[in-house]
Each structure stands twice: as structure tokens, then as C-alpha cells.
């Protein structure tokens, strides 16, 4: 069990669930629907690109940038 808890796949899955929850929270607080029409692969690609360009940033920073990008669509 210890190894499966520390699995990179599980960590990635947890991170993505956090991002989806973050977007949901922003949508709820703003009565908006950021992310409609964007598939999960597109969200992951944005986050991957952001993190490669900003290696000192964290997942929260990347999620904020994602919401800003979705807002500008």
C-alpha cells in the first residue's frame, strides 16, 4: 500500500482532481462556466506547458493561469 500511495500516477491523478475542483470553485464563486467545451487533455496540455515554462511555479499558479486563459476565450 505504501508504494501505491506514492505512485506518480496517483499523484498526477490527485493533482488533476485538485485542478478540476479549483475550476469548479472559481465557476461557483463567479457564476461562470470556465472550461466548458475544453476537454481534459487540453487542460492537461496547458498545465504541462505552463509548468515547463515556469519551473519555479506551483500547481496553484498554473491553475490560476489556466482560469485566466479560459476567461479570455
Amino acid at each position: 500500500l505504501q508504494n501505491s500511495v506514492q505512485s506518480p500516477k496517483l499523484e498526477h491523478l490527485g493533482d488533476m482532481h485538485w485542478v478540476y475542483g479549483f475550476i469548479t470553485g472559481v465557476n461557483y464563486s463567479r457564476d461562470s462556466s470556465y472550461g466548458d467545451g475544453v476537454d481534459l487533455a487540453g487542460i492537461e496540455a496547458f498545465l504541462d506547458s505552463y509548468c515547463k515554462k515556469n519551473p519555479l511555479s506551483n500547481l496553484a499558479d498554473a491553475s490560476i493561469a489556466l482560469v485566466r486563459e479560459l476567461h479570455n476565450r
Side-chain angles (χ1 to χ4, degrees), residues 4-5 7-9 13 18 20 22 31 44 48 61 64 67-68 70-72:
S4 65
V5 171
S7 164
K9 288 182 182 179
L13 182 62
W18 188 91
Y20 304 146
F22 180 82
D31 195 26
E44 287 190 56
D48 186 54
D61 296 331
I64 291 168
V67 168
R68 287 181 179 149
L70 294 172
H71 175 73
N72 291 330

Side-chain angles (χ1 to χ4, degrees), residues 10-66:
L10 286 178
E11 183 177 347
H12 173 76
L13 182 62
D15 287 347
M16 294 311 299
H17 280 288
W18 188 91
V19 172
Y20 304 146
F22 180 82
I23 294 169
T24 298
V26 170
N27 284 338
Y28 181 79
S29 71
R30 296 183 180 178
D31 195 26
S32 59
S33 56
Y34 301 134
D36 277 359
V38 178
D39 64 0
L40 302 180
I43 290 174
E44 287 190 56
F46 177 91
L47 294 172
D48 186 54
S49 174
Y50 180 90
C51 290
K52 286 179 181 174
K53 292 177 185 174
N54 303 280
L56 299 179
S57 293
N58 58 34
L59 187 58
D61 296 331
S63 299
I64 291 168
L66 172 62

